[in-house]
C-alpha cells in the first residue's frame, strides 16, 4: 500500500526500518500517470518489505527543492536514510522491479 509523503512525515519514513521508495509526481503530468499504476502495483507486491510513497511536488515543493527534483516523475530510492538510487521519467516495470530488488 502506498503512503502519501509530506514534509511532515518524510523524515520518519526515510529513517524507518524498511527501505523507502518515493515517487515525486503531479496530477497534470502525463508520464506520472503512466508510472503511477506500476508504482501502486509494486507497493502491493513489496508490502511489508519496502515502504512506497507518493509525493505531490506541488503540495510539497520544499521536498522537491531539497532533492533537486526538476523533472517528474522522479523516483528516489532510500536505504538507511540515504539515497541509493534514482529513476527519472517513465521507465518499464522491469526496470522498477530491478531497482526494488536491489533495495532488499
Amino acid at each position: 500500500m502506498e503512503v502519501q509523503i509530506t514534509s511532515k512525515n518524510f523524515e520518519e519514513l526515510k529513517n524507518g526500518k524498511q527501505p523507502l521508495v518515493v515517487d515525486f509526481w503531479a496530477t497534470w503530468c502525463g508520464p506520472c500517470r503512466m508510472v503511477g499504476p506500476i508504482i501502486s502495483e509494486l507497493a502491493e507486491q513489496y508490502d511489508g518489505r519496502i515502504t512506497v510513497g507518493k509525493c505531490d511536488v506541488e503540495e510539497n515543493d520544499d521536498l522537491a527543492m531539497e532533492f533537486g527534483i526538476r523533472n517528474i516523475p522522479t523516483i528516489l530510492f532510500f536505504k538507511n536514510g540515504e539515497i541509493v538510487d534514482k529513476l527519472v521519467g517513465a521507465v518499464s516495470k522491469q526496470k522498477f522491479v530491478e531497482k526494488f530488488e536491489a533495495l532488499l
Side-chain angles (χ1 to χ4, degrees):
M1 175 153 100
E2 296 168 313
V3 295
Q4 290 301 107
I5 305 251
T6 65
S7 303
K8 290 181 173 45
N9 68 2
F10 175 73
E11 285 297 320
E12 180 183 339
L13 292 169
K14 180 181 83 162
N15 295 309
K17 293 180 181 176
Q18 296 180 358
L20 173 66
V21 175
V22 182
D23 175 11
F24 287 89
W25 70 291
T27 56
W28 48 263
C29 168
C32 298
R33 289 194 299 271
M34 291 170 48
V35 166
I38 296 170
I39 296 292
S40 296
E41 185 180 328
L42 292 174
E44 294 293 326
Q45 186 176 333
Y46 288 88
D47 190 35
R49 297 185 290 160
I50 297 175
T51 302
V52 179
K54 295 181 75 69
C55 181
D56 187 322
V57 295
E58 291 192 335
E59 294 176 7
N60 300 282
D61 58 340
D62 55 331
L63 284 176
M65 286 177 52
E66 179 180 342
F67 293 105
I69 305 298
R70 296 180 188 268
N71 299 305
I72 53 175
T74 292
I75 295 83
L76 298 181
F77 299 82
F78 293 86
K79 191 167 189 172
N80 299 320
E82 301 293 323
I83 295 175
V84 295
D85 212 341
K86 171 180 172 176
L87 284 172
V88 179
V91 298
S92 69
K93 180 180 177 183
Q94 182 57 39
K95 192 68 171 168
F96 281 114
V97 169
E98 290 170 14
K99 300 291 186 181
F100 273 64
E101 286 295 323
L103 278 180
L104 297 176

